[in-house]
Amino acid sequence: MSVELDVFVGNTTIMDKEVYQLWLNGYTVNDAVKVRIEGGVMEECEASAEVLLSDTMDQFRTFQMCERLLQNPAKLANQLLFQIPPDRQAMLIERYYAFDDDVVREVLGKKLSKGTKKDLDDVSAKTGITLKSCRRQFDNFKRVFKVVEELKGPLVENIKQHFLLPDQLARDYAAIVFFANNRFETGKKKLQYLTFQDFAFCAGQLINNWTVGAVDNMVEDMDVDLDKEFLQDLKDLKILITDKDLLDQHKSLVCVALRGKTKVFNEMEANFKNLSRGLVNIAAKLTNTKDVRDFFIDLVEKFIEPCKSDKWTATDVNLYLTHYTNSAHILDTFKHQNVWTRYMGVIKSCILRMYHE
Amino acid sequence: MPGKLKAKIVAGRHLPVMDRASDLTDAFVEVKFGNTTFKTDVYPKSLNPQWNSEWFKFEVDDEDLQDEPLQITVLDHDTYSANDAIGKVYIDIDPLLSSEAATVISGWFPIYDTIHGIRGEINVLVKVELFNDLNRFRQSSCGVKFFCTTSIPRCYRAVMVHGFVEELVVNEDPEYQWIDRIRTPRASNEARQRLISLMSGELQRKIGLKVLEMGGNAVVGYLQCFDLEGESGLVVRAIGTACTLDKLSNTYTPATAINPCNSSPSKDIKEAGFGEEAPGVPLSSGPPTPLRAQTFSSFSPSKSYSRQSSSSDTELSLTPKTGMGSGGSAGKEAGPLKALLRQQTQTALEQREFPFFTLTSFPPGFLLHVGGVVSARSVKLLDRIHNPALGNTRSYKLLDWNSFTADEPETRDAWWEEIRQEIKSHAKALGCHAVVGYSESTSICEEVCILSASGTAAILSSRFMQDSALDTEHRFEDLMSPGCAFCHIPYDELNMPFPAQLTYCHCCRRYKVPDVLFTTIDLPTEANVTGKGCLIQARLCRTKKKAQGEGNATAISNLLPFLEYELHTQLMNKLKLRSMNALFGLRIQISVGENMLLGLASATGVYLTALPSPGGIQIAGKTPSDITYEQHISNMQKKINDTIAKNKELYEINPPDLVEEVIGSPIPEPRQRSRLFRSHSESSDEVSELDLSHGKKDAFVLEIDDTDAVEDIHSLLTDAPTPPGFYSCNTEIMPGIYNWTSALQMFTSVRVFRLSNVNLTNQGLNKVFNDLCENLLKSLYFKLRSMVPCCLCHVNFTVAVPEDELIQVAVTAVAMSFDKDQTQENGRQSIDKNLMKAITENEDQLQFPLELSAESSSNPLNSAKGLSEVSGPLPSARAPSVDYSSFTDRCSSWIEQLRLKAHTIRCGSIKTMSSLEKASPLPEGRSRSLRSNRSYAGSSVTVVKMTPLSFIPGTKIIKYLGIINMFFIRETTSLREEGGVSGFLHSFIAEVFAMVRAHVAALGGNAVVSYNMKECVFMENPNKNQAQCLINVSGDAVIFVRESELEATPPQPHSASAQTSSSGEGT
C-alpha cells in the first residue's frame, strides 16, 4: 500500500526557504528530510516524518519546475505558470545564483568548458559540496559568461540587468567572467592561500582600471578584455629598470622617505632593485596573453614571497609601495606618469589584498 | 445578424523552438469562430513574434456568440510539410455579451497544447458589438448574467428570486467515436475540449432562455457538471437559481446601522431583545422540524435494471403529514396575517415544479425555518442511447435530449426528474415547501451510475418571490429575523415525520427546536453561535464484489442504505464528541468503484446557541461479565469524556447555563432516539437499564457488542485535532472568527493511494481511507504553517475510485489568516462581519429610509422603551403581542435606536481599524489612483487572487466580469520524463491555475471568487509510460478593491467609482 501520487499546488506558489536551500545544496529528498528532522521542524509543527517527506518531495518538484525559469530570470517576472510575489522571486534568483567560494575557487580562471565540468567530481570530493550543487554553480557561471561575453557596456551592469542579481553578487559574477575570459592562473600551489574574495577584489580593480571601459564609459567596448593600448604603453615603464641612473635615483628617493619609518629598512634597501625589477617586468610582459595568465603568480613570486621571507608586515608593504609609486613621479627623466599611476594603483591594491600575514 | 465579433492578434512571447536547425519558430495564427477562419501573416524566425494583425471581424448570430468559443491556434509555418500546431487558446466571449460585465478581453493567454501543456503566450484583443434584438422568439439569451456564487452576489440586490432552472445536453463522446481509431489521441482530446466548450455554451444559453421566460435576468449558484459516461456518451448538465438582480449604486452608506445584529453591544442581550419582539413574526405555523438529517436513499424502479429499496424511516416520512399553509396549527401563535403570508409563499412556490434553490446563503428575511437535510440517490445502468440521428453524425452537432424524449423511454432528464420529485416529497414530509442549498452529482463506474441529489428542506419568506406582496409586513420579517428563528421547527410537533426530541429554543424560549440540526447551507449570518466551528468528516469504505451490469447495480443499491446510515452515525458521533449540535454545509459524496464503495461526508459543526447542549457519549458493553472488559470500557469512556472536555475548550464552547425544561415530548419512546443503533445491533430492550437518556443530559449510547463497534470508537478517537493556530470548515464563514487579514492562499491537493493488498476487510479499508484523509489534512496544516493563526475555509474533498485498487482524494480550499488579538466584542463588529453583510445591508438601506422618514419623529418615550428592551437584561418571556400598529411604531423607533447605537459602535471599532491599517503597507491619505498604480507596479503580470469563497476579506467586489468555466485535458506519453504521475499532475494543475488567472486578467479582473474544481479525472498507464487527466473548473471573475483604498476616496454621488461599501465605515 503506498501513496502513488501526491501533489499540492497553491495559487501563490508556496516555497520554504529552508527547503529551497536544501534543494540548492543538491540533497536528495531523503537526505533533505533527515536534515529537516534534525532541524526540529517536526516538534515545532507536530508533523510526522511522512508529512515531512510529502512536503519535501512536493517542494523539490516545484523547484525543479521553476529551474527552467530561474535559468532565465527575466522570464520569471512575466511568466504565467507560477504566481510568485516579487520579493520571493528576488529571493529565488539570488539564492539560485549564489555559490560556494570553495567551488568557484576551484574553477576560477579555468575555461568554462565541458572538460572542466567533468572535473567537477574532484571539486565535489575536495570541497564536500554535492556534485549536483557544483554542477548548478558551474552551469550558472557558464550561463552568465555566455550571455555577457558578447555584450557591450559595463560588465557588472550587464549582469545585473540580465540576471536580476543584487549588486554584490553581480560583482562576484563579473570577477568570475573576467577571470574565465582572461584565463588567469589561480590553481598553482603558490596561489592556494588566496581566497575567491581576494581574487574577486583584484578582478574588480582590473576591471575598473585596466579595461577600455575604465577610461571612457562611453566607449562601446567590452569590459571583459584588458585595454590593449594600455598594455602596449606599459612597455615604456621598462626604462625604470633599464636606465641605471633612474633606478638608483628611484632607490635613493624611496630610501630617504622610508628611513626610520620601518623595521625592515635594511632588507628593503638591499632588495629594492630586485623588487622594482620584478614589478616593472610584470608590466612590460603583459602584452603576451601567456604572461597575463601568470599575472597573479608573478606578483606572488616576484614581490610577495621576497617580502614575506624578509618578514615585512602589511604596513611595511603599504609604506613601501606608496613611496615607490610616488617617488617615480619626482624622477625628472621619467615621462610616463599616467601609465605609471594607472599601473601601480592596481598593483598596490592587489598586492595589499594578496599579502596575508 | 445581431452581433459582430472582432479579434486582433497582437503578439506572442516565450514560444517554443519549433525549428531545431535555427532554434527559432516561424509562427502564424489561425483565428476561428464558427465556420469562419482568418489567418495572420507568418512572422519568421522569432520566439517573440509581433503580428499586430488587423481586426478580424466575424458577423454572427448572438446564438452562436453564446455557444461558440473563439478558437485561436498558433502554428509553425513549414514550407515543405504540414504546419505544426504549437497550441491553442479558447476564449469564451460570454462575458462580453452582458452590458454590465467586461467590455473588452485583452491580455496574454497561455498557449495550451494537450500534450505539451503551456507553450508560450499570445496577446489577443477581443471585442463584441451587439445589436439589440427584440425578437420574442429568439434563441439566444444574451445579457443574462451567470454567477457560480451561491449567494446574492455582493454588488447586487435581489429583487426577485424566481427559482430553479436546469438543463442538460447530451452528445457522443468524441473519444468513443469510430474516427477515434484512426486519429491521434491529441486530435481526439482537442475534439473533446472543443465539444465540451461548445456544449457548455449551449447549455448556458438554454438556461438563460429559461431565466428570461421566468422574467429574471441572472442565474445565481450556477453549477455545471459533465458526466463522462463513456460509450453511452457525454452529458453536460447544469442547475441554478434564476433571480432578478439590481446593481447597487449606493451613494451613501449609513447601512451598518440598520442591521440589528451589528448594533447590539452584547449578543445574548440582543437576542433577548429580539425574542421580545418576536411575537410579531410568529414563526409561521407549527409545522414540524426534523431534528436529524433525513437521509433517504432510494433506487428508482425504472426499468428492470434499477432496484428500488427504501429504508424504513424513509417510508415514514414519505407521506406528508402536515397540511401546510392553512391556518391549522399556524393559528396557534401567529396572527391571521402571518398565515396569509405563508399561504402566499406557498402558492408562489407551488407554481414551481421544483421549489429548489441552489443558494446556500440568503438575503435577510428570506430563510425562515430550516427542516433538515433531504437527499435522494438512484442507481442507474448506462445504456447507449439509440438514436439514428446520433449514430451517424460525425460533426459535433449538439443534440438536446429533450427533443428525443418521445422515443426514449428513459432519458437522463427523466432520471433527474425522478430524483427531484423524491427530494420534493421528502421536503414536504418535513413540513417544508422549499429546498435550499440544493445540489446534484453523479458517480460513474463502467456502466453503473449513481445519481445523487441533496439539499435542505426549508420554509422561505415570500418576500423575494412575488412582485407585489404585503410590503409592510415583510418589513417586520426582515427586522425580526433573529438569530434563532431559522432553527425553529417547521413541522408539526404532534405529527413529526420521524422521532425527535424537541425543546424550547434556548434563545427566545418561545418556539420548539430540535436537538440536532443538519443542513447543506451556509451558516446564516444572523445565527447565534457559541464558540467556534470545525470541519467534521465521516469516512467510509465498503468492499463490493466485482459484478457486471444489472447484478452490479443491484449490489450497489443494496449497499447504499448501509453506507448512508453508517456515515450518518459517524457524523453524529463526531458531532457529539466535539460537543456541538448542528452541521452546516453537509456534503455527502458516494463514489463507486469496481470493487468498493467510498463514502465521504464533510460538514462544519457548530454549537447553535438556540439548540440544546448535546449530551455526552456513553459507552455500554453488552456483556458486562468480564472485569477486564469492564475496565476496557471504562477506559474508553474516560478517553471520550476527556476528548469532549478538550474539544469544548478548543472550540470555546461555553454555553450559558440555562435552566433546562424538557418539553413533554409526544414521542412514545423518548429514549429510543437518543440511542445510537448500530445497524446490526437493533435490540432496544436493554436500554431501560441504563437510564442515561434523560432530559438534555441525554447521553448518546454507543453499544460495543462487537469488534466493529470497537473499531468505530477507535476511529472516533483517532481523528487528530487540528494543530494549534489552525481552524477548518467547509462553509464560507467560520463562526467565531471575524478579523481576517488579507493573507489568502487557495490551493488544490490531490493524492492517489494504491491498495496493494487486495484482500482487505471493510475495517482495513476504512482505516486506509481514514488515514489517507487524515494525513492529507495533516500535510495541509504543515504546508500552511506560516499562515498561522489561520483557518482553512471551504475545504472541499472529492473522492474517486479511478481504478481497481486506487483511491483518489482531491481537496480544494483556501487558507485565510486572521488576527488573533481581536476576538473580543469588537471583533464581532469588525470588518468581515460587516463585509458579509455589506450587501444585504445596502439592500435594507434602500428600502427603509423612505419609510423611516415618515416615522422617524417617533416619540421619545417609545424609543426609550425600545432601548431598554434591546439592551436590558434577559427579559422574561411575554405574551405574544399581536398589536400590529404599535408594533410598527416600535419597530421604527427601534431602527432609530439601532442607528444611534451603530454610531457609537462605529467609534468603538475604529480601534480595530487602526490596527488593521498598521498592518497595511499603504500609507493613509494617498490618492486612490496612486495606490492602484502602485499595487501593479511590481510585476508585469497582474496578480490574480483565487478563492472558493464568495468574498475576499478586507476588500469589496466592485464588479462581476462573468463566469469562468473551463475544461482542459492533458495527456502525456512520456510520463517518467515529466516526473512521474506527481510531476505530470502538478504541472497540469499549475497550468490550469495559470490559464484561469490569465483569462481573468484579460477580462480586467484581479480575482476569482467561488472557484471550484468540479472534476479532476486522472488516469494512468505506467507500463506504457502514459497518463491522462481532465480538469473542469469554474468561478466568477471579479474586480475587487481594498477597503482601505475605498475609504481614501470620498464618496462621490452619481459616480460609479464611489461605491463605498457600507462596511467601509466599520473598518
Side-chain angles (χ1 to χ4, degrees):
Chain A
M1 275 177 272
S2 58
V3 173
E4 179 134 327
L5 180 158
D6 179 6
V7 297
F8 176 99
V9 190
N11 183 37
T12 304
T13 309
I14 290 187
M15 291 170 171
D16 186 313
K17 280 190 195 178
E18 186 205 346
V19 184
Y20 185 48
Q21 197 55 55
L22 293 172
W23 178 74
L24 289 174
N25 290 349
Y27 284 75
T28 61
V29 172
N30 286 333
D31 289 347
V33 170
K34 264 181 225 151
V35 173
R36 294 184 80 185
I37 290 177
E38 282 158 20
V41 72
M42 282 210 314
E43 291 76 37
E44 216 174 284
C45 313
E46 299 180 4
S48 65
E50 216 174 306
V51 166
L52 220 52
L53 178 68
S54 145
D55 178 62
T56 312
M57 283 222 280
D58 205 70
Q59 297 214 42
F60 270 43
R61 200 183 312 119
T62 311
F63 300 138
Q64 234 154 9
M65 288 164 69
C66 279
E67 191 164 17
R68 186 177 53 84
L69 297 163
L70 289 167
Q71 289 168 0
N72 189 348
K75 259 191 190 172
L76 191 64
N78 60 14
Q79 52 83 33
L80 302 176
L81 191 56
F82 299 104
Q83 187 159 280
I84 307 169
D87 60 317
R88 282 266 133 168
Q89 288 184 15
M91 183 278 288
L92 288 177
I93 294 168
E94 186 177 342
R95 294 216 182 175
Y96 189 77
Y97 283 91
F99 50 80
D100 294 295
D101 285 359
D102 292 349
V103 173
V104 70
R105 184 65 188 79
E106 293 299 316
V107 297
L108 198 62
K110 285 187 186 154
K111 201 173 168 188
L112 298 175
S113 62
K114 286 206 174 117
T116 316
K117 194 173 177 180
K118 272 184 195 146
D119 297 338
L120 284 178
D121 16 4
D122 297 339
V123 174
S124 166
K126 191 172 167 190
T127 57
I129 286 156
T130 59
L131 182 59
K132 212 176 148 206
S133 175
C134 290
R135 288 207 172 126
R136 172 182 57 84
Q137 297 181 34
F138 181 82
D139 288 340
N140 284 343
F141 304 149
K142 195 169 170 181
R143 194 174 319 109
V144 175
F145 181 82
K146 282 245 156 133
V147 169
V148 296
E149 185 185 28
E150 303 293 315
L151 287 176
K152 299 191 167 164
L155 184 57
V156 177
E157 285 309 311
N158 281 340
I159 293 174
K160 269 199 223 174
Q161 205 182 333
H162 278 84
F163 292 93
L164 310 174
L165 298 179
D167 191 69
Q168 189 48 51
L169 197 53
R171 281 178 196 283
D172 286 349
Y173 268 94
I176 295 165
V177 169
F178 189 74
F179 266 73
N181 190 53
N182 291 290
R183 309 277 301 282
F184 288 109
E185 176 61 64
T186 64
K188 286 271 158 60
K189 212 171 185 181
K190 281 179 179 166
L191 293 177
Q192 281 310 313
Y193 76 99
L194 291 169
T195 65
F196 167 70
Q197 285 307 329
D198 293 335
F199 284 118
F201 174 83
C202 298
Q205 291 295 315
L206 291 166
I207 293 168
N208 288 333
N209 297 293
W210 287 6
T211 58
V212 184
V215 251
D216 184 359
N217 272 331
M218 301 311 285
V219 172
E220 290 276 295
D221 204 5
M222 292 162 235
D223 250 359
V224 282
D225 294 319
L226 293 172
D227 184 350
K228 291 258 157 52
E229 254 175 71
F230 167 68
L231 297 182
Q232 207 62 47
D233 293 344
L234 284 176
K235 287 198 161 172
D236 301 336
L237 299 180
K238 263 202 143 169
I239 193 156
L240 280 174
I241 48 168
T242 48
D243 187 321
K244 188 100 180 30
D245 287 350
L246 216 52
L247 185 60
D248 288 338
Q249 223 178 329
H250 196 182
K251 180 181 173 183
S252 60
L253 279 170
V254 173
C255 288
V256 168
L258 286 181
R259 190 180 303 273
K261 287 185 184 160
T262 165
K263 284 185 181 163
V264 289
F265 181 78
N266 292 334
E267 290 87 343
M268 185 275 294
E269 197 175 20
N271 244 337
F272 180 86
K273 286 186 182 172
N274 265 340
L275 293 176
S276 186
R277 263 190 213 114
L279 290 181
V280 174
N281 274 329
I282 293 174
K285 286 194 304 180
L286 280 179
T287 39
N288 293 331
T289 333
K290 169 79 183 62
D291 290 305
V292 170
R293 290 185 192 172
D294 288 339
F295 177 70
F296 292 100
I297 192 121
D298 285 346
L299 280 184
V300 169
E301 283 178 350
K302 301 281 158 53
F303 191 91
I304 294 171
E305 283 185 344
C307 294
K308 280 232 163 138
S309 63
D310 286 344
K311 306 228 161 45
W312 292 28
T313 63
T315 333
D316 296 331
V317 175
N318 189 6
L319 211 58
Y320 171 78
L321 285 174
T322 313
H323 289 286
Y324 177 71
T325 310
N326 294 343
S327 303
H329 292 302
I330 313 169
L331 299 169
D332 306 332
T333 45
F334 184 60
K335 302 289 181 221
H336 312 285
Q337 303 292 356
N338 284 341
V339 178
W340 179 249
T341 315
R342 192 174 168 189
Y343 176 69
M344 279 312 291
V346 170
I347 292 292
K348 187 183 151 195
S349 39
C350 285
I351 288 179
L352 285 175
R353 175 82 196 208
M354 291 161 72
Y355 199 84
H356 295 194
E357 280 178 86
Chain B
M1 203 274 314
K4 197 189 267 179
L5 170 70
K6 301 194 296 178
K8 182 182 172 118
I9 308 298
V10 184
R13 67 182 183 194
H14 310 331
L15 293 190
V17 170
M18 297 299 282
D19 180 359
R20 292 255 169 257
S22 65
D23 265 5
L24 288 168
T25 297
D26 305 320
F28 72 100
V29 183
E30 275 183 12
V31 186
K32 190 177 176 204
F33 190 81
N35 294 319
T36 319
T37 308
F38 292 103
K39 279 183 192 174
T40 66
D41 297 333
V42 174
Y43 193 95
K45 307 213 176 307
S46 172
L47 298 183
N48 300 292
Q50 304 290 320
W51 292 289
N52 221 343
S53 79
E54 56 184 304
W55 282 99
F56 299 122
K57 298 189 181 79
F58 302 89
E59 297 180 339
V60 280
D61 282 343
D62 48 359
E63 188 180 335
D64 288 338
L65 280 175
Q66 286 195 291
D67 288 5
E68 300 258 355
L70 180 68
Q71 292 180 42
I72 295 169
T73 313
V74 185
L75 299 112
D76 176 51
H77 175 75
D78 204 326
T79 321
Y80 305 107
S81 59
N83 299 324
D84 287 335
I86 296 173
K88 292 195 169 202
V89 179
Y90 291 92
I91 301 178
D92 179 14
I93 18 227
D94 219 48
L96 295 180
L97 303 181
S98 159
S99 51
E100 283 167 45
T103 51
V104 64
I105 297 177
S106 161
W108 289 99
F109 291 90
I111 302 167
Y112 181 73
D113 179 75
T114 52
I115 291 183
H116 299 97
I118 292 178
R119 306 173 97 187
E121 290 124 36
I122 184 168
N123 196 308
V124 183
L125 260 168
V126 186
K127 283 183 182 173
V128 169
E129 273 171 40
L130 264 191
F131 312 121
N132 266 338
D133 183 11
L134 299 173
N135 179 3
R136 230 158 44 82
F137 303 103
R138 61 182 185 169
Q139 287 299 297
S140 81
S141 54
C142 287
V144 173
K145 296 177 283 290
F146 285 79
F147 301 92
C148 294
T149 302
T150 57
S151 55
I152 301 301
R154 265 152 213 275
C155 46
Y156 291 92
R157 180 179 81 92
V159 179
M160 276 266 275
V161 180
H162 301 278
F164 192 59
V165 278
E166 48 77 33
E167 187 61 82
L168 166 159
V169 292
V170 180
N171 206 322
E172 270 191 303
D173 190 336
E175 192 155 274
Y176 295 89
Q177 276 174 324
W178 68 271
I179 195 164
D180 204 58
R181 282 174 217 151
I182 52 169
R183 68 180 164 191
T184 62
R186 182 201 232 166
S188 162
N189 281 333
E190 264 159 25
R192 275 175 119 186
Q193 282 193 167
R194 196 163 55 238
L195 178 68
I196 290 198
S197 175
L198 222 62
M199 289 169 81
S200 310
E202 193 202 44
L203 194 68
Q204 218 169 307
R205 173 172 60 81
K206 288 191 165 169
I207 293 239
L209 277 172
K210 288 191 174 176
V211 172
L212 289 176
E213 248 168 63
M214 295 166 98
N217 65 3
V219 182
V220 179
Y222 184 68
L223 175 70
Q224 186 208 288
C225 295
F226 64 86
D227 303 327
L228 296 170
E229 294 187 353
E231 287 286 327
S232 64
L234 193 64
V235 179
V236 184
R237 57 192 164 79
I239 54 175
T241 306
C243 294
T244 305
L245 299 183
D246 249 6
K247 184 137 171 87
L248 287 176
S249 48
N250 46 325
T251 47
Y252 89 119
T253 58
T256 341
I258 296 208
N259 197 308
C261 278
N262 263 355
S263 32
S264 164
S266 141
K267 203 87 226 265
D268 293 328
I269 289 168
K270 173 185 62 192
E271 286 336 316
F274 279 118
E276 226 282 320
E277 302 286 349
V281 199
L283 303 156
S284 44
S285 55
T289 271
L291 312 198
R292 36 205 74 187
Q294 287 286 99
T295 32
F296 305 105
S297 359
S298 95
F299 312 99
S300 72
S302 48
K303 282 217 160 173
S304 59
Y305 40 71
S306 297
R307 287 282 174 277
Q308 170 146 48
S309 85
S310 264
S311 52
S312 52
D313 60 333
T314 314
E315 241 120 76
L316 181 75
S317 54
L318 275 176
T319 11
K321 296 208 166 94
T322 355
M324 299 193 308
S326 59
S329 54
K332 263 200 296 192
E333 293 184 300
L337 180 65
K338 192 63 213 181
L340 181 65
L341 270 180
R342 191 178 163 77
Q343 218 157 21
Q344 267 183 356
T345 319
Q346 183 65 27
T347 36
L349 282 169
E350 260 166 12
Q351 286 161 5
R352 301 181 172 92
E353 189 184 7
F354 297 112
F356 295 173
F357 300 85
T358 53
L359 301 176
T360 56
S361 66
F362 309 87
F366 190 44
L367 182 71
L368 296 183
H369 306 292
V370 171
V373 170
V374 284
S375 76
R377 284 180 214 283
S378 145
V379 182
K380 299 286 186 187
L381 262 188
L382 298 171
D383 198 9
R384 194 174 186 82
I385 305 158
H386 301 288
N387 195 294
L390 264 185
N392 299 328
T393 180
R394 247 165 279 160
S395 67
Y396 301 126
K397 193 172 161 7
L398 296 167
L399 291 164
D400 179 0
W401 275 103
N402 289 326
S403 48
F404 293 96
T405 40
D407 36 281
E408 273 307 316
E410 247 197 20
T411 65
R412 307 303 184 261
D413 251 343
W415 289 357
W416 286 110
E417 168 105 18
E418 230 172 67
I419 290 216
R420 289 173 194 144
Q421 286 296 355
E422 198 177 330
I423 289 271
K424 192 178 170 183
S425 70
H426 289 335
K428 260 199 177 143
L430 288 178
C432 294
H433 57 218
V435 176
V436 295
Y438 179 72
S439 66
E440 296 176 346
S441 64
T442 58
S443 167
I444 297 171
C445 176
E446 302 287 312
E447 71 278 90
V448 175
C449 174
I450 304 182
L451 312 183
S452 315
S454 72
T456 305
I459 291 188
L460 301 175
S461 136
S462 64
R463 176 176 160 188
F464 293 96
M465 290 191 280
Q466 274 168 330
D467 290 318
S468 53
L470 309 160
D471 278 71
T472 23
E473 283 75 25
H474 290 183
R475 293 290 140 67
F476 296 169
E477 274 174 343
D478 301 340
L479 280 175
M480 297 276 111
S481 63
C484 61
F486 76 93
C487 311
H488 302 160
I489 51 167
Y491 36 80
D492 188 341
E493 83 178 83
L494 295 171
N495 229 339
M496 285 203 293
F498 49 87
Q501 187 180 15
L502 302 178
T503 50
Y504 277 114
C505 172
H506 286 229
C507 285
C508 65
R509 317 219 128 253
R510 193 169 301 279
Y511 304 100
K512 304 253 172 97
V513 294
D515 57 351
V516 178
L517 189 62
F518 283 15
T519 73
T520 58
I521 56 170
D522 271 329
L523 186 68
T525 37
E526 73 269 15
N528 300 323
V529 175
T530 305
K532 294 191 164 71
C534 82
L535 178 73
I536 292 181
Q537 283 195 324
R539 306 154 185 140
L540 205 65
C541 214
R542 283 281 170 267
T543 51
K544 173 182 86 65
K545 284 214 176 69
K546 273 193 191 181
Q548 292 294 312
E550 207 179 313
N552 199 15
T554 314
I556 293 169
S557 299
N558 291 340
L559 269 172
L560 273 178
F562 296 103
L563 206 63
E564 294 218 40
Y565 186 81
E566 294 271 307
L567 283 172
H568 186 260
T569 308
Q570 257 192 49
L571 278 178
M572 195 64 105
N573 287 343
K574 289 190 177 182
L575 188 68
K576 299 263 174 202
L577 197 66
R578 283 167 181 80
S579 200
M580 295 174 180
N581 55 21
L583 287 180
F584 287 89
L586 177 64
R587 190 166 160 271
I588 299 177
Q589 202 198 347
I590 294 201
S591 201
V592 55
E594 291 260 296
N595 52 4
M596 66 177 123
L597 277 173
L598 283 184
L600 181 70
S602 308
T604 301
V606 295
Y607 184 103
L608 283 177
T609 320
L611 266 50
S613 149
I617 297 174
Q618 184 80 39
I619 297 179
K622 264 202 148 180
T623 45
S625 49
D626 197 343
I627 294 174
T628 50
Y629 185 69
E630 293 254 293
Q631 207 157 22
H632 177 65
I633 285 178
S634 72
N635 271 344
M636 223 149 24
Q637 180 71 56
K638 191 172 172 302
K639 259 192 207 164
I640 286 179
N641 293 345
D642 288 352
T643 316
I644 291 179
K646 227 186 282 165
N647 280 331
K648 270 192 174 176
E649 200 176 316
L650 181 63
Y651 302 113
E652 296 162 27
I653 297 173
N654 327 296
D657 258 330
L658 294 173
V659 192
E660 276 315 319
E661 63 235 89
V662 180
I663 303 165
S665 165
I667 303 142
E669 299 170 322
R671 276 180 216 113
Q672 193 180 334
R673 63 202 119 83
S674 59
R675 244 188 103 211
L676 181 71
F677 287 112
R678 296 201 41 83
S679 46
H680 41 271
S681 57
E682 299 286 87
S683 60
S684 57
D685 321 64
E686 291 126 301
V687 214
S688 47
E689 306 165 25
L690 338 141
D691 194 23
L692 300 153
S693 49
H694 183 67
K696 96 161 205 215
K697 298 298 168 206
D698 246 359
F700 222 59
V701 181
L702 255 180
E703 284 183 358
I704 39 169
D705 51 351
D706 53 21
T707 43
D708 257 24
V710 175
E711 288 283 333
D712 278 0
I713 292 168
H714 253 279
S715 74
L716 199 62
L717 292 169
T718 48
D719 265 12
T722 54
F726 272 108
Y727 292 93
S728 57
C729 63
N730 75 337
T731 49
E732 291 242 321
I733 328 163
M734 175 67 167
I737 301 178
Y738 304 101
N739 33 343
W740 303 108
T741 66
S742 54
L744 194 81
Q745 172 67 283
M746 189 283 294
F747 60 86
T748 291
S749 185
V750 182
R751 277 194 189 180
V752 174
F753 198 88
R754 182 173 288 280
L755 307 162
S756 48
N757 185 356
V758 195
N759 299 318
L760 270 177
T761 57
N762 277 340
Q763 278 82 30
L765 266 178
N766 261 348
K767 187 165 166 10
V768 166
F769 183 41
N770 206 40
D771 288 352
L772 180 59
C773 294
E774 280 291 313
N775 288 338
L776 186 49
L777 278 170
K778 273 186 209 158
S779 274
L780 298 182
Y781 294 135
F782 182 74
K783 281 258 182 214
L784 300 161
R785 65 193 185 282
S786 65
M787 294 186 73
V788 161
C790 107
C791 178
L792 300 191
C793 295
H794 216 285
V795 179
N796 186 8
F797 272 72
T798 39
V799 290
V801 190
E803 268 170 56
D804 260 16
E805 283 139 35
L806 295 184
I807 299 179
Q808 177 190 318
V809 181
V811 192
T812 298
V814 63
M816 302 205 292
S817 290
F818 60 91
D819 227 335
K820 202 155 198 167
D821 309 325
Q822 298 177 12
T823 36
Q824 295 308 304
E825 267 316 305
N826 264 354
R828 270 220 162 237
Q829 289 302 326
S830 76
I831 333 114
D832 351 82
K833 186 79 172 179
N834 283 340
L835 181 80
M836 319 242 64
K837 302 204 159 173
I839 298 311
T840 53
E841 280 157 7
N842 286 345
E843 189 177 303
D844 284 355
Q845 170 235 324
L846 287 176
Q847 299 210 352
F848 286 112
L850 279 178
E851 205 193 9
L852 273 175
S853 59
E855 295 179 295
S856 55
S857 57
S858 59
N859 79 55
L861 259 179
N862 212 345
S863 54
K865 185 181 163 205
L867 178 64
S868 70
E869 273 169 7
V870 171
S871 58
L874 283 168
S876 56
R878 287 190 199 172
S881 151
V882 229
D883 181 355
Y884 287 104
S885 57
S886 79
F887 187 62
T888 326
D889 267 3
R890 237 159 65 196
C891 249
S892 51
S893 61
W894 195 43
I895 291 167
E896 282 297 289
Q897 278 311 321
L898 293 174
R899 282 207 164 175
L900 279 173
K901 273 176 175 284
H903 271 290
T904 43
I905 278 155
R906 229 160 29 227
C907 297
S909 62
I910 282 170
K911 260 180 263 155
T912 324
M913 162 197 139
S914 58
S915 70
L916 180 88
E917 251 149 31
K918 254 182 262 153
S920 149
L922 296 171
E924 182 77 42
R926 289 264 202 132
S927 89
R928 187 175 161 197
S929 58
L930 241 177
R931 286 179 180 214
S932 36
N933 282 347
R934 243 183 91 168
S935 56
Y936 291 109
S939 141
S940 57
V941 181
T942 316
V943 173
V944 176
K945 295 203 173 197
M946 290 166 76
T947 175
L949 305 180
S950 63
F951 66 99
I952 298 173
T955 67
K956 176 158 171 58
I957 293 169
I958 53 166
K959 197 171 184 186
Y960 281 80
L961 299 166
I963 199 168
I964 296 282
N965 188 1
M966 296 167 101
F967 172 85
F968 299 102
I969 302 179
R970 178 91 145 78
E971 68 174 320
T972 181
T973 48
S974 51
L975 190 58
R976 274 187 294 278
E977 294 76 0
E978 291 193 39
V981 283
S982 295
F984 170 70
L985 193 62
H986 193 139
S987 51
F988 184 37
I989 294 175
E991 282 167 350
V992 170
F993 284 2
M995 286 184 278
V996 170
R997 286 192 303 255
H999 277 79
V1000 172
L1003 287 170
N1006 55 6
V1008 187
V1009 295
S1010 299
Y1011 171 81
N1012 183 9
M1013 185 169 84
K1014 290 178 294 191
E1015 206 87 43
C1016 177
V1017 185
F1018 178 78
M1019 288 157 284
E1020 58 167 330
N1021 190 341
N1023 298 332
K1024 284 190 177 169
N1025 205 19
Q1026 288 174 342
Q1028 189 187 44
C1029 187
L1030 296 83
I1031 287 184
N1032 182 210
V1033 297
S1034 67
D1036 294 325
V1038 300
I1039 305 179
F1040 72 82
V1041 288
R1042 296 234 161 269
E1043 253 160 28
S1044 46
E1045 280 171 42
L1046 270 176
E1047 248 168 76
T1049 340
Q1052 300 156 7
H1054 314 298
S1055 149
S1057 66
Q1059 287 172 352
T1060 322
S1061 77
S1062 61
S1063 49
E1065 281 188 301
T1067 52

